[in-house]
Amino acid sequence: MSASAHPLLDIIGNTPLLPLRRIAPALPPGVLLLGKAEHLNPSGSLKDRPARALILEAAASGRWRPGMALLDATSGNAGIAYAMVGAALGIPVTLCLPAGATPARRQMLSAFGARVLETPAEAGSEGARAEAARLAREEPWRWCLLDQYGADANWKAHRDGTGAEIWDQTRGTVTHLVAGVGTSGTLVGASRLLKGRKPSVRVTAVIPDRPDHGLPGLRHLPSVRAPAIWDPRAADAVAEVATVAGRTMATRLAQAEGLLVGPSTGAVVHAAVRLARGLHPGSVVVAVLADSGDRYLA
Ligand SMILES: Cc1ncc(COP(=O)(O)O)c(C=O)c1O
């Protein structure tokens, strides 16, 4: 199976790079703030890139064979992206979710035909991951486990996609990258590409300011296990952002820029504006707009 296994897969990526002008009117002269509009990917988030890469790699390597289902534990954007790519390729997708995941998420997964296996709510997302691992261990002929936290295909999809596109779209003038950290695939992949081409590029990792946050998709790195693919050298700075700041900026992005994005994207842009305010003329700051805000409407 190749990258052009289905035309839908060809429209993943090549997202626009948009100027953000109205949300930060008082930037120093000559400082440009741009948003990489990953929320415009076909399933509505940057996870389309690693989902395509992980699934095509599983098929090409023979880890997935006809008759098997793809399996992972995620209630978030990765699940929606797996479900979409699986549907396009005719591969069944099963996702382990803690009971109590928001109905909108479950409905979106079911709408793409994915199967949802509920795990006990009190065991949380770790419980869902443990259940997916158990199934794959006990019935290996039945399940192909996708591991976005540990697979190199994740960060490579962002190196060759997100990072390379930012380089081309700014014609190499990018000076700063700001991205959230969940699995860290986006930040690690794009950082490796950009720093490889221009070592002076400065990269800011955005994380929630506390463990019990409301910024879906982002990890509070000080209190949780770091993803296997995380590389601290990929980030020059870490910006901690409060949930309320992320939500406020997401509202402003929708109302002042016409960009309906989620609260975690709001947090990334909040950090990017804070950074841009202190930069010199000629600075070009790129913030990654991770997902669409439609999935957070009640
Ligand atoms: C909603 C959402 N999911 C995930 C991520 C992070 O992606 P990754 O898993 O590549 O670190 C972000 C980053 O801003 C995000 O906003």
Side-chain angles (χ1 to χ4, degrees):
M1 224 178 263
S2 71
S4 44
H6 189 291
L8 178 68
L9 304 194
D10 296 335
I11 61 166
I12 292 172
N14 290 315
T15 53
L17 190 63
L18 304 171
L20 304 177
R21 295 200 185 97
R22 300 170 61 136
I23 48 134
L27 291 184
V31 174
L32 196 57
L33 177 60
L34 303 167
K36 179 70 171 151
E38 289 294 293
H39 66 298
L40 299 181
N41 275 302
S43 92
S45 84
L46 45 66
K47 292 295 177 185
D48 284 358
R49 296 177 188 267
R52 172 178 64 180
L54 264 74
I55 292 173
L56 290 177
E57 192 193 77
S61 68
R63 270 203 328 113
W64 175 84
R65 292 181 302 282
M68 295 171 85
L70 301 166
L71 176 69
D72 204 351
T74 163
S75 57
N77 291 319
I80 295 168
Y82 290 145
M84 181 195 73
V85 173
L89 296 177
I91 301 179
V93 174
T94 296
L95 298 161
C96 295
L97 299 196
T102 59
R105 288 306 175 95
R106 293 189 46 142
Q107 281 162 8
M108 181 110 67
L109 298 172
S110 305
F112 278 119
R115 202 174 138 211
V116 173
L117 293 181
E118 278 204 344
T119 55
E122 57 278 12
S125 56
E126 283 303 320
R129 283 174 76 178
E131 175 62 4
R134 185 190 69 77
L135 287 169
R137 198 172 50 244
E138 293 183 1
E139 300 172 319
W141 60 89
R142 202 169 154 201
W143 305 109
C144 172
L145 188 64
L146 300 170
D147 174 18
Q148 54 158 348
Y149 287 88
D152 287 332
N154 178 352
W155 66 264
K156 286 181 180 171
H158 288 292
R159 178 193 62 188
D160 303 339
T162 323
E165 290 167 25
I166 291 170
W167 180 260
D168 291 345
Q169 288 169 316
T170 61
R171 298 197 177 83
T173 62
V174 57
T175 58
H176 295 78
L177 174 74
V178 185
V181 176
T183 66
S184 78
T186 310
L187 184 131
V188 169
S191 172
R192 283 184 177 152
L193 184 292
L194 295 174
K195 284 176 173 287
R197 300 248 170 112
K198 182 166 152 186
S200 62
V201 171
R202 287 292 159 258
V203 177
T204 300
V206 177
I207 62 169
D209 66 342
R210 47 192 292 172
D212 56 335
H213 62 90
L215 297 173
L218 301 190
R219 278 171 92 76
H220 181 252
L221 287 177
S223 66
V224 296
R225 194 157 34 93
I229 59 172
W230 169 240
D231 174 3
R233 290 168 308 178
D236 302 286
V238 175
E240 298 192 359
V241 179
T243 298
V244 64
R247 289 183 182 153
T248 303
M249 183 57 87
T251 303
R252 293 190 61 207
L253 282 160
Q255 296 181 358
E257 303 277 0
L259 297 169
L260 186 64
V261 293
S264 310
T265 292
V268 167
V269 173
H270 176 90
V273 171
R274 213 160 56 185
L275 170 73
R277 289 209 170 109
L279 295 178
H280 305 295
S283 300
V284 177
V285 181
V286 175
V288 179
L289 314 181
D291 74 353
S292 164
D294 55 4
R295 56 208 57 194
Y296 303 101
L297 304 173

